[in-house]
Amino acid sequence: MQRYKLTIEFDGRGYVGMQAQSSGPTIQAALEAAIDGYCQTDVRIAAAGRTDAGVHAKAMVVHCDLPRGDAPDKVMAALNAHLRPHPIAVLKAQAVSDQFHARFDCTRRRYGYRIVTRRAPLTFDKGLAWRLAFPLDLPAMQRAARCLIGKHDFTTFRHVHCQAKSPIKTLETLDVVADREGLWINAAARSFLHSQVRSMVGCLSLVGRGKWQPEDVKRALEAKDRSALGFNAPPDGLYFMGADYPASLQSR
């Protein structure tokens, strides 16, 4: 058996999430079916993170053990052939040590949230961004974002059904960056609570619209109470951007 690290991208529209479940189609189920078609064997994958329904990925990392030791380029091409017509692509395959684990060895997970600010409805990007029909106060959002960086109790930003053992997380990065269509909110941490990124984005959007002040985000954080949350941003604009690992675990 050879272990492979796969980097995949996907359009999350039409899926109930990354992780296999009985409530609808998932990215995991589609990828495992492609592996079965390629290797004629039942293989389970492990992923760096979970995603909610409608959330996308630019570079989700998974690992799997295959009974054939084909070259990584052949594995990538074969899986992409079996994934058609799903909006899922294997961007890279890499042979790795048997010790590598996509979830447990991940040292940093990176998410990006895309907001498009325009009055017209989205056409090509419908479901791939959150449209707000008014300009946002970028400097105010940046000040509010700084209140959330660091080690905190993120209970306010935690989904009621979150299964994490503790609400304490260390947010390494939360940047609000303008682009020609609107802005991106980029977050990085070793791990996140269920819905944490969407909850933070929802509150930052209230600041951008002038409905909250940056200090209101700090007060919401310090409340440690889900009822203090502004609201959850929709899944449309959320992307899993990448996962980081120790270099020593990524070579065979």
Side-chain angles (χ1 to χ4, degrees):
M1 300 288 281
Q2 172 63 55
R3 180 159 296 186
Y4 291 89
K5 173 189 173 187
L6 307 177
T7 303
I8 64 172
E9 69 174 15
F10 57 80
D11 178 344
R13 292 175 294 183
Y15 295 89
V16 297
M18 175 72 207
Q19 188 178 29
Q21 50 194 291
S22 59
S23 58
T26 65
I27 304 299
Q28 179 178 352
L31 185 54
E32 288 176 349
I35 294 172
D36 187 21
Y38 169 43
C39 297
Q40 288 78 54
T41 188
D42 188 19
V43 172
R44 290 289 174 264
I45 66 169
R50 302 179 179 183
T51 61
D52 290 336
V55 174
H56 320 291
K58 294 281 190 180
M60 175 64 76
V61 174
V62 307
H63 83 255
C64 58
D65 295 326
L66 303 185
R68 47 196 294 177
D70 290 337
D73 283 350
K74 183 176 180 180
V75 172
M76 180 184 72
L79 292 181
N80 282 331
H82 285 282
L83 279 166
R84 298 188 187 106
H86 295 285
I88 306 168
V90 178
L91 304 179
K92 183 179 180 181
Q94 180 182 356
V96 292
S97 163
D98 290 345
Q99 303 304 310
F100 175 83
H101 196 288
R103 176 186 174 191
F104 298 128
D105 292 328
C106 184
T107 58
R108 184 183 295 108
R109 292 164 174 86
R110 292 174 277 114
Y111 286 88
Y113 195 99
R114 182 185 177 208
I115 298 177
V116 173
T117 53
R118 74 182 202 187
R119 293 182 63 186
L122 297 179
T123 53
F124 298 109
D125 288 331
K126 185 177 181 180
L128 298 175
W130 183 22
R131 179 187 70 90
L132 294 176
F134 32 76
L136 298 171
D137 186 340
L138 181 65
M141 294 176 71
Q142 291 170 332
R143 291 195 301 273
R146 288 194 287 271
C147 298
L148 299 174
I149 296 173
K151 185 177 182 179
H152 302 289
D153 181 330
F154 283 97
T155 295
T156 300
F157 302 90
R158 179 185 192 180
H159 193 282
V160 292
H161 297 304
C162 179
Q163 297 178 357
K165 294 180 179 179
S166 169
I168 307 297
K169 295 293 178 183
T170 301
L171 185 62
E172 299 176 15
T173 301
L174 189 61
D175 294 329
V176 186
V177 182
D179 67 11
R180 63 183 181 87
E181 295 181 317
L183 56 86
W184 279 88
I185 298 174
N186 301 307
R190 185 179 186 92
S191 62
F192 290 88
L193 300 169
H194 186 184
S195 291
Q196 182 180 344
V197 176
R198 289 171 55 196
S199 296
M200 295 189 299
V201 171
C203 290
L204 293 180
S205 74
L206 291 176
V207 174
R209 296 163 65 178
K211 294 187 174 183
W212 276 22
Q213 296 302 309
E215 294 75 20
D216 291 321
V217 174
K218 184 177 181 181
R219 280 192 283 271
L221 173 69
E222 293 173 346
K224 303 175 187 176
D225 184 344
R226 184 68 176 175
S227 66
L229 180 73
F231 69 98
N232 259 8
D236 307 40
L238 184 57
Y239 294 77
F240 187 98
M241 301 296 286
D244 299 334
Y245 298 90
S248 60
L249 292 176
Q250 299 190 60
S251 58
R252 188 167 40 177

